[in-house]
């Protein structure tokens, strides 16, 4: 089996992870591309003792570390004191953020995360705990849930409140979502794709983003439909059926990276 065939099923997900790690689609995709080019050129190789997915993420991290990106980000943070995202990066060490994302967002076991990060199991557990503590310390916000299935909406609402956030509304249609943001400005939007009246959560989000700057997390049973590489893609994506820790991780990362500034766009 060719290298491309072995890695193809995992590429949408490592791209998702890279974007969540860096907070930017272009930057995340750049480091994935560099890792793949290194593999193709024979500069890096997949560890035969690991599964292809774990081995791919391990190579990605080796590239990430060797590039000096983490150190460069910390040097820049000191100069960008007005940048909220940069300040949050200073408070959460990159290594802790990586361990948290690998387990909570990507679904790796702590043992697999240790293999990817080239550290021991105990260190991964400590890194995850450190990251979670920092993320939980972030300011609470108001959340709009766009979801037409009542049971799923209730589950998401409970998780959001557990994290200390307020739910301003639950919208089942595109129209309800637009009406909701006209009444109150959310600090975060959690959006399904297929809504009750046949309308699209994607269109609802476009309407909302046309009026305000707010982080969005899409929730869908078909994440590959949004991770095609053919158009601007969501940085944060949750797959149905979801695990509670996955929702918490995505919410934490979305709020972590999004600048805290006035959200309503000028008319």
């Amino acid at each position: 089996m060719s290298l491309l065939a072995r890695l193809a099923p995992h590429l949408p997900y490592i791209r998702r992870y890279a974007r969540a790690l860096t907070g930017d689609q272009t930057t995340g995709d750049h480091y994935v591309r560099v890792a793949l080019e290194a593999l193709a050129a024979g500069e890096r190789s997949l560890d035969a003792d690991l599964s292809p997915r774990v081995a791919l993420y391990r190579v990605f991290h080796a590239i990430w570390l060797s590039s000096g990106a983490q150190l460069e980000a910390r040097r820049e943070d000191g100069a960008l004191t007005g940048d909220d995202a940069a300040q949050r990066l200073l408070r959460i060490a990159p290594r802790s953020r990586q361990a948290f994302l690998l387990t909570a967002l990507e679904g790796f076991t702590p043992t697999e995360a240790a293999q990817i990060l080239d550290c021991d199991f105990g260190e991964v557990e400590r890194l995850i705990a450190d990251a979670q503590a920092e993320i939980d310390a972030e300011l609470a916000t108001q959340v709009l849930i766009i979801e037409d299935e009542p049971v799923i909406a209730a589950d998401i609402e409970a998780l959001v409140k557990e994290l200390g956030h307020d739910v301003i509304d639950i919208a089942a249609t595109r129209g309800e979502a637009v009406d909701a943001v006209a009444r109150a400005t959310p600090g975060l939007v959690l959006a399904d794709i297929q809504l009750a009246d046949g309308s699209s959560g994607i269109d609802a989000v476009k309407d909302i983003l046309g009026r305000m700057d707010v982080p969005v997390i899409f929730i869908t049973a078909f994440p590959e439909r949004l991770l095609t590489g053919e158009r601007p893609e969501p940085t944060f994506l949750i797959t149905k059926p979801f695990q509670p820790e996955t929702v918490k991780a995505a919410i934490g990362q979305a709020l972590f990276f999004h600048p805290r500034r006035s959200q309503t766009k000028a008319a």
Side-chain angles (χ1 to χ4, degrees):
M1 183 181 295
S2 69
L3 177 65
L4 179 60
R6 293 173 63 195
L7 299 182
H10 311 301
L11 294 184
Y13 302 102
I14 195 169
R15 293 178 63 236
R16 174 184 66 182
Y17 169 70
R19 290 197 296 276
L21 181 66
T22 63
D24 178 74
Q25 178 177 330
T26 301
T27 303
D29 284 353
H30 166 73
Y31 282 104
V32 171
R33 183 170 61 254
V34 171
L36 294 175
E37 289 173 349
L39 285 169
E43 298 170 2
R44 302 275 179 173
S45 60
L46 297 177
D47 191 325
D49 294 330
L50 303 175
S51 70
R53 183 169 182 246
V54 171
L56 174 61
Y57 279 68
R58 183 181 172 92
V59 169
F60 170 83
H61 272 284
I63 295 292
W64 172 253
L65 288 171
S66 66
S67 71
Q70 296 179 94
L71 296 175
E72 187 63 30
R74 284 181 171 270
R75 286 196 293 271
E76 291 174 358
D77 285 344
L80 298 175
T81 55
D83 189 311
D84 288 335
Q87 293 306 305
R88 288 194 287 277
L89 281 168
L90 272 177
R91 292 196 295 271
I92 298 180
R95 195 76 164 167
S96 295
R97 190 168 65 255
Q98 292 161 15
F100 181 82
L101 281 169
L102 286 170
T103 53
L105 188 63
E106 295 302 309
F108 288 109
T109 66
T111 297
E112 290 172 327
Q115 294 170 333
I116 292 168
L117 297 177
D118 195 22
C119 63
D120 60 40
F121 181 87
E123 183 179 355
V124 166
E125 288 197 317
R126 178 183 60 77
L127 290 170
I128 293 170
D130 289 348
Q132 185 65 68
E134 294 291 347
I135 290 172
D136 289 344
E138 289 296 313
L139 295 177
T141 192
Q142 294 184 310
V143 180
L144 170 63
I145 299 172
I146 306 175
E147 170 61 63
D148 66 325
E149 298 185 34
V151 173
I152 295 178
D155 287 343
I156 296 173
E157 181 180 21
L159 289 170
V160 166
K161 290 182 176 179
E162 183 181 336
L163 292 173
H165 307 298
D166 294 324
V167 175
I168 60 171
D169 211 337
I170 298 176
T173 67
R174 176 184 181 182
E176 289 179 8
V178 172
D179 290 342
V181 298
R183 294 189 296 268
T185 300
L188 174 69
V189 175
L190 302 178
D192 193 1
I193 292 178
Q194 299 180 6
L195 303 180
D197 61 350
S199 60
S200 167
I202 297 174
D203 291 335
V205 166
K206 288 180 180 178
D207 292 339
I208 293 169
L209 294 180
R211 303 175 59 171
M212 61 190 65
D213 182 15
V214 59
V216 176
I217 300 172
F218 277 102
I219 303 175
T220 175
F222 306 100
E224 65 276 6
R225 295 182 183 178
L226 290 174
L227 297 171
T228 63
E230 298 174 354
R231 59 179 181 275
E233 301 167 353
T235 299
F236 301 100
L237 188 63
I238 296 175
T239 302
K240 289 182 178 179
F242 55 78
Q243 297 296 320
E245 290 305 317
T246 301
V247 178
K248 293 177 182 179
I251 289 174
Q253 289 296 313
L255 294 175
F256 177 88
F257 283 113
H258 198 78
R260 297 195 184 281
R261 57 177 178 264
S262 178
Q263 293 172 309
T264 303
K265 292 184 178 180

